[in-house]
Amino acid sequence: MTSTDVHPADPTDRPPTDHGLAVRLAFGGLAAQALRAAVRLHIVELLGSGPRRACDVAADAGAEHQPVTRLLRALTGLGLLEEPAPDTFSATPAGALLHPDHPHSLASFVRVFTDPAIVRAWEHLDDSVRTGGVAFDSVFGTDFFDHLARHPELSADFDTAMGRATAEAASVLPHAYDFARFTSVTDVGGGDGTLLAAVLTAHPHLTGTVHDTARGLRAAPETLRRHGLTGRCTPAAGDFFRSVPAGSDLYLLKSVLHDWPDDRAVTILRHCRAVLPPGGRVLIVEPVLPDTVEDTGAAEHALDGAVTYLSDLNMMVNLGGRERIRADFRDLCRRAGLSLLSAAPLEGAAPYFLLEAAPA
């Protein structure tokens, strides 16, 4: 069949069943920017315990009534607000997560992932797919972490967003793994020490080291002081591409390897292997993709099932890293002189897995 054999569409034809899914996904970027506007205008904070009239929200936001009403209606359509009476709105439980003071707040997460820096790099996703290159580096002339260092507001939002995710893992990790057989833990790339503080608090026999760049460790002393761990845990500034501190029999890496391409991930693991004593272990906390993409079920839930795969694309576009299947982690460990012993979901902290490796 040639192009001349294709008949023009019949204007009376109804769109296919999946038409709505494609349209919803195409509007995804617009929905994300509606969330960004809500956070920047402090909509949820201004609604308070609600319900509240749109004109009052607009006045407090220093904005025009009609445009604010239109934004509030869009947020209602997205399930973040509800309109119990005309022109009167309140936050739903999902919308409440946009409040910066919510214990599980996603406000910083929204600011980071709708920031122009992230969005601009995603505009070049097709280039990254063609070449395997990091779009962010091409667009901005520097890598993502250097960009963060030059933009303190974005850096603070990034640290807060990542800290929230770490706090969720920290709430379950101490009781999900047998820490009793170890004496000391080094958290490689451990940032402000939140994860290691949870482990040490739950296991008083352990001592620890939190290892990161000087910038990454800025808040670690305060975290350790707040948990009463100053005498049991030491911040150690350094570069895990050069070495990691010796002296522990357990090395913990959470959300580190997926930031980097395979060769650099192997370098980090090799440095852990170089200082690992006999009987020591490396514990990796990362998402693990299934070997094949699982059925997401109903079309309206398709985005839910795609989140980890979109994260994988984000790693490619902005960092050069990737999400991995079990076989990928097994190969990284093998190349680093380690043997992957197990990989199991971290219950209560999806999508994270616990992957345990030992000297090969």
Side-chain angles (χ1 to χ4, degrees):
M1 178 182 289
T2 67
S3 60
T4 57
D5 295 321
V6 178
H7 299 289
D10 184 341
T12 64
D13 283 351
R14 296 179 63 83
T17 303
D18 293 334
H19 177 269
L21 170 62
V23 170
R24 285 196 299 276
L25 295 178
F27 269 76
L30 281 64
Q33 291 304 317
L35 266 68
R36 178 173 175 81
V39 169
R40 287 166 64 87
L41 290 168
H42 308 288
I43 293 297
V44 175
E45 296 100 300
L46 294 177
L47 284 172
S49 57
R52 196 166 185 227
R53 295 185 305 166
C55 60
D56 295 329
V57 174
D60 287 348
E64 294 293 326
H65 177 197
Q66 186 196 69
V68 166
T69 300
R70 294 165 71 177
L71 174 61
L72 297 179
R73 287 174 177 164
L75 295 170
T76 300
L78 291 169
L80 299 171
L81 304 181
E82 55 188 4
E83 189 177 10
D87 210 31
T88 302
F89 299 85
S90 59
T92 65
L97 296 172
L98 300 184
H99 197 300
D101 294 334
H102 192 287
H104 302 288
S105 175
L106 291 172
S108 293
F109 180 89
V110 169
R111 280 195 294 267
V112 168
F113 283 92
T114 59
D115 188 90
I118 300 290
V119 175
R120 280 188 60 193
W122 266 85
E123 291 172 358
H124 300 271
L125 171 62
D126 54 334
D127 294 328
S128 287
V129 170
R130 284 193 202 95
T131 67
V134 184
F136 190 98
D137 296 12
S138 299
V139 171
F140 291 96
T142 187
D143 65 46
F144 180 74
F145 290 110
D146 281 345
H147 182 85
L148 283 184
R150 299 175 188 177
H151 294 81
E153 185 176 348
L154 178 60
S155 178
D157 280 332
F158 180 82
D159 289 346
T160 299
M162 297 304 104
R164 298 275 187 186
T166 297
E168 291 185 10
S171 69
V172 297
L173 176 62
H175 308 290
Y177 182 71
D178 180 15
F179 289 95
R181 53 198 168 118
F182 302 101
T183 61
S184 178
V185 183
T186 292
D187 189 354
V188 178
D192 70 356
T194 294
L195 187 62
L196 186 54
V199 171
L200 296 182
T201 299
H203 300 277
H205 72 285
L206 290 172
T207 60
T209 300
V210 57
H211 176 62
D212 211 317
T213 63
R215 173 190 144 343
L217 290 172
R218 285 177 303 182
E222 172 56 24
T223 300
L224 300 178
R225 185 203 62 77
R226 190 170 63 250
H227 288 83
L229 296 170
T230 302
R232 288 174 52 207
C233 187
T234 304
D239 179 355
F240 51 44
F241 290 118
R242 295 180 177 273
S243 65
V244 300
S248 289
D249 48 0
L250 179 64
Y251 284 80
L252 174 62
L253 299 100
K254 181 202 167 287
S255 300
V256 170
L257 301 182
H258 76 163
D259 285 346
W260 308 101
D262 288 353
D263 287 349
R264 304 205 82 184
V266 169
T267 296
I268 298 168
L269 289 172
R270 277 180 180 154
H271 289 147
C272 293
R273 174 64 184 92
V275 295
L276 200 64
R281 295 289 187 270
V282 175
L283 186 61
I284 302 165
V285 182
E286 296 235 351
V288 176
L289 297 174
D291 291 345
T292 58
V293 179
E294 298 170 343
D295 184 4
T296 57
E300 60 267 25
H301 300 303
L303 188 58
D304 294 341
V307 167
T308 306
Y309 297 97
L310 292 174
S311 175
D312 181 40
L313 292 180
N314 187 60
M315 293 297 156
M316 175 171 64
V317 167
N318 284 305
L319 295 169
R322 56 182 293 210
E323 307 292 359
R324 297 175 170 93
I325 64 173
R326 293 188 195 200
D328 295 325
F329 284 105
R330 188 176 300 113
D331 185 58
L332 294 182
C333 289
R334 178 190 58 79
R335 291 170 58 187
L338 297 164
S339 176
L340 184 63
L341 302 179
S342 63
L346 179 56
E347 298 296 338
Y352 294 111
F353 274 60
L354 288 182
L355 301 104
E356 184 183 34

